[in-house]
């Protein structure tokens, strides 16, 4: 989206046509997903509608199933082609930009596919929020102690940004929500973070990672380092240290892998499945093919050790998009290309409301200053002034009024109520 946005601003009239293909009609600003799950931001403001911000581009809502770069053709499966039963359509191109990002990397752990919950999309974030609040309702209304304990046990696997921020924000929200339940106390909730390595949040440095562990444990969150999930069959999370936790909530954030569409191309990939790129963001050894973001293995020209690649994060992806758009324009106009070269500024992470850690330009921050830096940084990076203003307004209102703790689980199956009424004549009791 960032590449197309820059291209539409700088292309001359009639110079080129930009076609944007994506399965969703919006771009998700993923760093805001934990706050959306906690109810601090409306889910509508975490996404950027493509048709609104790219009026000079042709937006095609569909999924690329394969790409034959030798023939300069992409096979696209759209909603219309599914309805018509005609199969994928072919889109021909002159220049190809591949930036599909990454997907959750699920391991073959027994029960994970049946009970695991991901945290990569806005739908998963809102679904997880509804799910957590529904568990409080289950625990409040059951007389079975086993059902209650499982409902109030929340297991998160993965100690990176997604896992730590999601757990911290949701724990914050749930601790606030239980004040409205007459028979649930904050200490009844059991939150467990499982991390296979010896530290969490490696991006913020070892010292800040240790502080984050102390902060989470101080909130009665059970942080298990150097521990793996062995199985979660029958809704029982079994860890490598022998612990067993009956739970109705297992959130999987243990890593990502390149988008499957990369394997359906004739472009060169590295051992991890990412596209091999030059510093100019061209796919190595191939003309007229470009890549950026999580899908691209781009050399890090600022690294001390040779052969190091840019980390797959938003900080690099947004800046790569700027260079990529400029290089495409330069190639069209037969001008010299520019290398992508950016020194990593640091990292910020939220640990819930008014709590955070940061390691920026060699300086370390924690607590409220780090949390404030986290908000300021991401507010400056979320695209379009419209989104910036709406997010800022929501944060301001959240500081003046109480949290919203309502669960809208019916959003995930909006026809359920009508199907019940049509099939049985019954209707859920209105309140």
């Amino acid at each position: 989206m960032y590449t197309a946005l820059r291209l539409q601003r700088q292309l001359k009239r009639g110079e080129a046509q930009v076609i944007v293909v994506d399965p969703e009609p919006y771009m998700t600003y993923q760093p805001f997903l934990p706050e959306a799950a906690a109810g601090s931001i409306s889910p509508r403001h975490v996404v950027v509608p493509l048709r609104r911000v790219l009026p000079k581009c042709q937006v095609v809502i569909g999924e690329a199933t394969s790409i034959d770069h030798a023939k300069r053709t992409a096979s696209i499966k759209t909603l219309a082609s599914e309805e018509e039963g005609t199969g994928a359509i072919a889109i021909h191109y002159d220049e190809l930009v591949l930036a599909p990002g990454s997907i959750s990397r699920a391991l073959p752990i027994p029960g994970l596919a049946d009970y695991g919950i991901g945290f990569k999309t806005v739908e998963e974030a809102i679904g997880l929020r509804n799910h957590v609040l529904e568990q409080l309702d289950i625990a409040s209304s059951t007389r079975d102690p086993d059902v209650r304990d499982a409902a109030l046990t929340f297991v998160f696997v993965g100690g990176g940004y997604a896992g730590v921020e999601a757990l911290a924000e949701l724990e914050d929200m749930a601790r606030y929500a239980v004040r409205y339940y007459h028979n649930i106390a904050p200490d009844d909730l059991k939150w467990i973070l499982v991390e296979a390595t010896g530290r969490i949040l490696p991006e913020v440095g070892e010292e800040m990672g240790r502080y984050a562990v102390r902060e989470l444990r101080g909130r009665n969150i059970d942080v298990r380092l150097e521990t793996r999930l062995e199985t979660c069959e029958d809704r029982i999370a079994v860890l490598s240290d022998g612990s067993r936790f009956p739970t109705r909530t297992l959130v999987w954030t243990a890593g990502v892998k390149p988008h499957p569409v990369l394997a359906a191309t004739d472009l060169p990939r590295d051992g991890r499945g990412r596209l091999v790129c030059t510093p100019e963001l061209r796919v190595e050894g191939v003309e007229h093919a470009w890549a950026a973001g999580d899908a691209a293995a781009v050399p890090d020209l600022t690294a001390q050790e040779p052969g190091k690649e840019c980390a797959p994060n938003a900080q690099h992806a947004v800046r790569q998009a700027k260079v990529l758009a400029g290089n495409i324009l330069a190639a069209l106009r037969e001008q010299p290309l520019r290398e992508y070269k950016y020194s990593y500024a640091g990292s910020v992470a939220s640990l819930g409301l008014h709590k955070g850690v940061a390691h920026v330009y060699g300086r370390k921050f924690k607590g409220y200053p780090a949390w404030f830096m986290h908000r300021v940084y991401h507010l400056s990076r979320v695209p379009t002034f419209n989104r910036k203003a709406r997010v800022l307004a929501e944060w301001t209102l959240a500081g003046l009024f109480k949290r919203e703790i309502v669960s809208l689980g019916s959003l995930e199956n909006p026809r359920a109520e009508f199907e019940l009424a049509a099939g049985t004549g019954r209707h859920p009791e209105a309140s």
Side-chain angles (χ1 to χ4, degrees):
M1 193 213 74
Y2 278 103
T3 303
L5 188 63
R6 193 168 182 84
L7 284 173
Q8 79 171 4
R9 288 172 178 168
Q10 298 192 358
L11 281 168
K12 298 173 184 176
R13 184 183 296 272
E15 187 176 11
Q17 179 189 20
V18 180
I19 301 175
V20 178
V21 179
D22 196 274
E24 305 292 347
Y26 52 78
M27 186 208 80
T28 304
Y29 190 73
Q30 292 191 350
F32 278 159
L33 288 183
E35 293 207 45
S40 300
I41 301 176
S42 166
R44 293 178 293 113
H45 302 156
V46 177
V47 299
V48 183
L50 296 180
R51 297 188 190 277
R52 178 185 293 178
V53 299
L54 301 174
K56 296 181 182 178
C57 302
Q58 181 182 345
V59 177
V60 177
I61 305 305
E63 183 178 0
T65 56
S66 65
I67 296 172
D68 188 343
H69 190 63
K71 296 180 180 178
R72 309 277 181 87
T73 302
S75 297
I76 311 298
K77 185 168 65 175
T78 68
L79 295 176
S81 62
E82 289 183 4
E83 290 291 328
E84 296 167 355
T86 54
I89 62 173
I91 294 182
H92 301 278
Y93 59 83
D94 299 299
E95 302 285 339
L96 172 69
V97 175
L98 264 175
S102 55
I103 63 171
S104 296
R105 183 190 62 191
L107 299 180
I109 295 174
L112 180 60
D114 298 319
Y115 303 114
I117 303 172
F119 201 77
K120 281 285 290 178
T121 67
V122 67
E123 292 87 357
E124 287 176 326
I126 303 309
L128 181 56
R129 168 188 168 81
N130 292 334
H131 175 82
V132 168
L133 292 173
E134 285 170 0
Q135 300 316 301
L136 300 183
D137 290 331
I138 290 172
S140 176
S141 56
T142 184
R143 295 183 179 180
D144 187 325
D146 293 334
V147 173
R148 177 185 169 91
D149 288 346
L152 296 181
T153 301
F154 306 92
V155 179
F156 285 68
V157 182
Y161 274 130
V164 172
E165 290 192 334
L167 181 148
E169 292 283 356
L170 284 165
E171 189 272 340
D172 226 9
M173 178 204 71
R175 188 158 27 86
Y176 176 87
V178 295
R179 68 179 63 184
Y180 298 104
Y181 290 81
H182 70 282
N183 56 354
I184 303 178
D187 290 343
D188 294 337
L189 306 179
K190 185 183 295 182
W191 299 82
I192 301 142
L193 177 63
V194 180
E195 169 54 40
T197 66
R199 56 194 284 200
I200 65 172
L201 296 175
E203 298 88 351
V204 298
E206 191 171 349
E207 182 183 341
M208 290 295 96
R210 288 197 298 267
Y211 167 79
V213 170
R214 291 197 303 271
E215 166 68 24
L216 295 176
R217 285 174 173 167
R219 290 158 58 178
N220 206 28
I221 296 172
D222 187 354
V223 181
R224 303 282 180 113
L225 302 178
E226 297 182 344
T227 307
R228 297 178 308 279
L229 176 69
E230 298 286 351
T231 175
C232 55
E233 289 182 301
D234 301 322
R235 293 188 183 272
I236 299 175
V238 180
L239 308 184
S240 58
D241 61 5
S243 303
R244 296 169 59 88
F245 297 100
T247 178
R248 296 177 56 86
T249 308
L250 180 80
V251 183
W252 179 265
T253 63
V256 295
K257 63 181 180 180
H259 196 283
V261 71
L262 302 184
T265 71
D266 51 355
L267 300 173
R269 295 179 293 141
D270 66 5
R272 290 187 287 175
R274 298 190 297 170
L275 296 174
V276 181
C277 292
T278 67
E280 295 82 11
L281 303 175
R282 266 186 162 152
V283 177
E284 195 169 81
V286 181
E287 293 292 322
H288 310 291
W290 313 77
D294 288 10
V298 180
D300 187 351
L301 301 183
T302 64
Q304 301 294 330
E305 58 271 28
K308 189 174 182 182
E309 297 169 347
C310 295
N313 56 39
Q315 192 172 139
H316 279 300
V318 172
R319 288 171 172 82
Q320 286 173 2
K322 182 178 179 180
V323 175
L324 176 54
N327 282 347
I328 292 174
L329 289 169
L332 290 175
R333 298 166 183 172
E334 298 183 347
Q335 297 171 350
L337 304 184
R338 174 184 157 203
E339 292 183 335
Y340 174 74
K341 189 175 183 179
Y342 172 72
S343 297
Y344 194 57
S347 299
V348 290
S350 169
L351 298 178
L353 193 62
H354 301 157
K355 298 174 282 288
V357 290
H359 190 183
V360 181
Y361 294 116
R363 300 189 63 186
K364 299 165 185 173
F365 304 87
K366 57 188 178 183
Y368 185 90
W371 172 83
F372 184 75
M373 290 175 64
H374 173 270
R375 284 203 160 182
V376 170
Y377 174 76
H378 286 301
L379 184 65
S380 70
R381 292 301 168 194
V382 68
T384 77
F385 177 78
N386 181 313
R387 283 291 170 276
K388 287 178 170 62
R390 290 178 183 273
V391 169
L392 183 59
E394 286 201 307
W395 281 343
T396 303
L397 291 173
L400 299 175
F401 301 101
K402 295 181 179 180
R403 280 180 186 255
E404 293 290 345
I405 58 166
V406 64
S407 167
L408 296 177
S410 59
L411 289 177
E412 295 153 45
N413 189 6
R415 293 195 67 245
E417 186 173 326
F418 180 77
E419 289 173 349
L420 177 64
T424 66
R426 294 189 297 116
H427 193 281
E429 185 177 359
S431 59

